[in-house]
Amino acid sequence: MSSWEEQDEAYIWHPFTPLKGMDQPLLIKKAEGVYLFTESDQKIIDAISSWWVNIHGHSHPYIAEVIHNQAKILEHVIFAGFTHKPAITLAKRLLEILPDNQSKVFFSDNGSTAVEVAIKMAFQYFHNQGIEKKRIIAIDGAYHGDTFGAMSVGERGPFSEPFNSYLFDVDFVDFPTPDREEEVWNHFQTLIQTGEVAAFIFEPIVQGASGMRVYSKALLDKMIGLTQEYNAICIADEVMTGFGRLGTLFAADQLSNTPDIFCLSKGLTAGTMAMGVTTCTAEIQSAYRSSDLMKTFFHGHSFTANPITCAVANASLDLLLTEECESNRQRLNQRHTDFLERIKGHDMVRNPRVMGTIIAFELNTERETSYFNEARHHLYPYFISKGLLIRPLGNVIYLIPPYIISDEDLEFIYSTILTFLDEYQSMSFQSID
Ligand SMILES: Cc1ncc(COP(=O)(O)O)c(C=O)c1O
């Protein structure tokens, strides 16, 4: 019998993983709180919440119990023509915490499908009314997922290159760095004023995958306001920012204008099971209320609103809405802010920033900031060898830990990063290019 690692290589194709030149994936046998345990008993702190999903820690006993209980009662049922209490409860509770204009919940499977649903919902809203609006605006550098619609509204770069000719047309405005805000605003106005725009989609306040890039709330507010003035739909992709990541429950809570559609996933189920949700206003749904069958929203997935997953999301909300969780988020924000003070003058650190429970900075490498900056290939194994799961985006090092992480573990992460920064200049990283 070959080793588990050999069997993995024989049978599995891992996501976002080059097939040559990469180390074998680590075999994880169990996880608890912020810790992952390898087969050989190495303890690794999950400082990125396993792709930003885990908010309350791994293998949470309360969530495990809820899964067990729900699985004994109703594990799954088709969600067309049937419904169930875990889904109804979840929808009601989500609408209670989302901005007041949100009125309906549509379930799907992950962040990408939440975005697909949002885009289709917006386009068909106009189609059902016989209104010709076909354009969509997005922000350069955006990441909205890996399915075709989500890819279309995302950054056109090396990842999308094999597919670019199959993606639909999107009007991109440049990422609004502080020095370009006016230019971006002018371009945005020109696009909206054509009256042809159906929707504007954005990651509110922070663009995650492009390197935890923060942009102006005030500008975003203006963009949402203008979009709505021209009867176009604003889609907030809160897949990463939702459920407390930026301090407030949703990023939109920090804006004065409210988006029309929200896309949620990741923290929705505390990173335990896969689920996406798209919520919308009553006005958007009203365009689908018709005796004309062709106005139906013909979209659905086999596992839509899976009862176990809904029960998990309800359990995650129970934990999220406690005072303890809120004070953990504030504590995390404070610790990150203190750490920012410690690194901000460091020669190897560029542009440090804290957004709620996230801290990010760029490593001062000679090559420009990008996912393909080779620094990433050295940083990842370095941190793993120290017992830390940190997965830099190019030369952007960021932390997005579960909210329950202790001060001691945070201090271990911070001091490991500081040691790394001090050692960095003397390390001879070979380019893998
Ligand atoms: C803002 C945003 N939208 C959508 C997605 C896609 O989510 P998923 O990976 O669950 O398809 C991601 C994933 O990182 C994301 O960060």
Side-chain angles (χ1 to χ4, degrees):
M1 180 69 156
S2 53
S3 72
W4 285 103
E5 284 82 358
E6 282 163 349
Q7 292 184 61
D8 178 279
E9 188 166 358
Y11 306 129
I12 296 180
W13 194 342
H14 286 266
F16 275 99
T17 307
L19 295 183
K20 270 190 132 176
M22 296 301 283
D23 290 338
Q24 271 185 332
L26 289 174
L27 188 62
I28 297 300
K29 67 173 175 192
K30 67 170 189 174
E32 200 181 318
V34 297
Y35 308 121
L36 309 173
F37 296 90
T38 66
E39 197 61 13
S40 53
D41 278 330
Q42 189 194 1
K43 187 167 98 174
I44 299 174
I45 298 181
D46 186 352
I48 57 156
S49 299
S50 282
W51 256 337
W52 322 345
V53 297
N54 189 301
I55 56 179
H56 306 305
H58 290 274
S59 308
H60 196 290
Y62 176 56
I63 293 180
E65 192 189 329
V66 165
I67 293 173
H68 179 73
N69 292 339
Q70 183 60 44
K72 286 187 295 186
I73 301 170
L74 172 66
E75 91 304 350
H76 188 60
V77 63
I78 175 175
F79 207 59
F82 290 85
T83 192
H84 50 79
K85 289 179 188 172
I88 299 166
T89 308
L90 177 59
K92 184 164 172 281
R93 293 181 75 187
L94 287 173
L95 294 173
E96 274 163 14
I97 58 171
L98 278 160
D100 286 346
N101 70 343
Q102 294 304 288
S103 161
K104 298 286 179 233
V105 173
F106 193 97
F107 292 97
S108 64
D109 294 349
N110 53 61
S112 304
T113 57
V115 168
E116 294 290 333
V117 167
I119 297 169
K120 288 175 73 173
M121 209 180 246
F123 282 154
Q124 196 181 336
Y125 167 78
F126 293 110
H127 176 85
N128 280 2
Q129 299 173 83
I131 298 171
E132 270 281 310
K133 275 180 187 271
K134 296 212 156 31
R135 305 214 58 86
I136 182 159
I137 303 178
I139 301 179
D140 244 1
Y143 179 73
H144 295 290
D146 289 339
T147 49
F148 270 83
M151 264 199 299
S152 295
V153 291
E155 165 85 354
R156 304 292 162 94
F159 293 151
S160 71
E161 208 201 298
F163 317 108
N164 280 348
S165 57
Y166 307 99
L167 304 180
F168 57 75
D169 279 348
V170 171
D171 294 314
F172 286 99
V173 292
D174 288 344
F175 183 82
T177 48
D179 55 322
R180 307 266 333 273
E181 278 176 23
E182 200 177 325
E183 216 176 304
V184 172
W185 173 235
N186 290 340
H187 182 205
F188 189 82
Q189 287 184 87
T190 315
L191 293 171
I192 288 284
Q193 284 161 356
T194 59
E196 292 170 10
V197 174
F200 164 42
I201 182 164
F202 50 89
E203 295 162 84
I205 306 174
V206 181
Q207 265 191 354
S210 75
M212 299 294 164
R213 295 196 294 174
V214 192
Y215 63 101
S216 159
K217 290 180 205 174
L219 178 64
L220 178 58
D221 244 331
K222 280 205 297 189
M223 289 161 117
I224 296 172
L226 190 73
T227 306
Q228 290 172 336
E229 222 175 275
Y230 279 80
N231 186 29
I233 291 172
C234 287
I235 303 172
D237 177 352
E238 294 235 22
V239 167
M240 190 276 280
T241 54
F243 303 100
R245 261 298 159 209
L246 299 194
T248 46
L249 282 182
F250 299 99
D253 297 337
Q254 301 180 32
L255 303 170
S256 351
N257 291 319
T258 310
D260 308 287
I261 291 183
F262 284 76
C263 307
L264 307 171
S265 187
K266 295 196 187 274
L268 168 67
T269 57
T272 306
M273 294 175 81
M275 173 175 267
V277 147
T278 309
T279 67
C280 70
T281 59
E283 162 60 25
I284 291 174
Q285 202 205 37
S286 70
Y288 293 80
R289 275 191 195 280
S290 166
S291 46
D292 179 354
L293 238 168
M294 295 319 293
K295 294 193 174 169
T296 308
F297 189 44
F298 288 114
H299 186 108
H301 302 276
S302 314
F303 287 101
T304 296
N306 172 265
I308 302 175
T309 317
C310 288
V312 165
N314 279 316
S316 178
L317 284 181
D318 293 343
L319 300 170
L320 179 76
L321 299 176
T322 58
E323 271 174 32
E324 188 187 351
C325 184
E326 180 164 0
S327 79
N328 272 337
R329 298 200 304 273
Q330 281 168 9
R331 180 179 54 86
L332 195 42
N333 175 264
Q334 191 54 54
R335 297 292 168 274
H336 282 344
T337 308
D338 297 343
F339 181 55
L340 186 144
E341 286 303 312
R342 285 159 72 188
I343 55 168
K344 77 175 181 197
H346 200 290
D347 281 351
M348 297 317 301
V349 172
R350 220 164 41 211
N351 192 17
R353 59 252 184 206
V354 171
M355 306 77 65
T357 66
I358 309 171
I359 184 168
F361 64 89
E362 282 136 54
L363 196 61
N364 224 347
T365 55
E366 278 166 25
R367 280 184 63 178
E368 62 178 58
T369 295
S370 101
Y371 185 86
F372 292 97
N373 186 306
E374 74 272 11
R376 180 196 182 285
H377 300 285
H378 306 286
L379 304 182
Y380 180 76
Y382 174 90
F383 287 119
I384 288 286
S385 73
K386 306 286 177 200
L388 283 184
L389 170 52
I390 293 180
R391 212 181 134 91
L393 294 156
N395 62 326
V396 178
I397 296 181
Y398 69 92
L399 305 174
I400 179 170
Y403 305 149
I404 47 115
I405 190 165
S406 68
D407 283 353
E408 293 71 36
D409 285 331
L410 278 172
E411 188 44 45
F412 173 71
I413 298 174
Y414 297 151
S415 53
T416 308
I417 291 176
L418 272 172
T419 308
F420 163 76
L421 291 172
D422 292 341
E423 286 173 359
Y424 181 75
Q425 271 164 313
S426 58
M427 290 178 187
S428 56
F429 285 161
Q430 303 292 314
S431 166
I432 63 147
D433 294 346

